[in-house]
Amino acid sequence: MYKNIALLCVFVLLCACGPLPQYNKSGLWGKYPENFVDSDGFTLWMPSNMHARQGMYAYVVQRYIDECMNGDYIGGKYEPSGDVYKILKDGTKIYAYYYYYDEDTDVGVNALAFNLTPMQMNIGYDVVFNIYVDKDEKITRCKYMRIRN
């Protein structure tokens, strides 16, 4: 009886010490590489030590995305708030940060004839931003990627 309990304890100990699945620890949450490149050639820098900005409502983050894509940030002065950055060979700095938010999304069919209404699911997103800044701290480029949790 004691022998079986001892063998069970040894088995549990060996299982606990076994290898665990490993993620690429260099990038965002270990799920993405630090220097992300997709199949279309889009690149984004996602360091593991990048900071989250204040959790926001979906419409606020979407406004930041729109301003980034419309070029509204270009030429403005960047005011880093403890953001992580790296310096490229030409002196350009790339700042990286992300926002996280939840959004309620309608799922299903809205068909009154069949007494069907869509239900809502809460979906989490992270939006990673890269802000390129020249030597004069002026923004020259903005990139982002929305990641569904």
Side-chain angles (χ1 to χ4, degrees), residues 32-48:
Y32 297 92
E34 184 169 319
N35 295 306
F36 175 81
V37 180
D38 72 0
S39 60
D40 296 333
F42 174 80
T43 61
L44 197 71
W45 182 54
M46 294 191 277
S48 59

Side-chain angles (χ1 to χ4, degrees), residues 43-138:
T43 61
L44 197 71
W45 182 54
M46 294 191 277
S48 59
N49 60 340
M50 119 176 102
H51 302 290
R53 294 277 177 101
Q54 179 75 26
M56 295 282 180
Y57 295 109
Y59 71 89
V60 175
V61 177
Q62 186 61 49
R63 189 182 82 216
Y64 292 149
I65 290 170
D66 293 343
E67 289 172 354
C68 175
M69 296 314 298
N70 292 338
D72 295 344
Y73 295 151
I74 305 301
K77 185 158 177 67
Y78 186 73
E79 296 179 18
S81 57
D83 297 327
V84 176
Y85 68 90
K86 73 176 179 178
I87 302 175
L88 302 178
K89 291 178 184 176
D90 65 353
T92 300
K93 289 183 184 177
I94 302 176
Y95 287 92
Y97 59 89
Y98 69 97
Y99 289 100
Y100 55 90
Y101 67 94
D102 293 328
E103 184 174 50
D104 291 329
T105 304
D106 288 338
V107 177
V109 178
N110 189 9
L112 294 176
F114 298 103
N115 200 21
L116 296 174
T117 57
M119 57 185 236
Q120 287 199 336
M121 290 180 62
N122 191 296
I123 300 174
Y125 292 96
D126 296 303
V127 179
V128 179
F129 281 91
N130 280 176
I131 306 292
Y132 290 72
V133 177
D134 65 12
K135 294 175 186 174
D136 299 325
E137 295 296 319
K138 301 284 185 187

Side-chain angles (χ1 to χ4, degrees), residues 8-21:
L8 178 65
C9 290
V10 168
F11 176 73
V12 169
L13 181 64
L14 288 175
C15 289
C17 294
L20 297 173

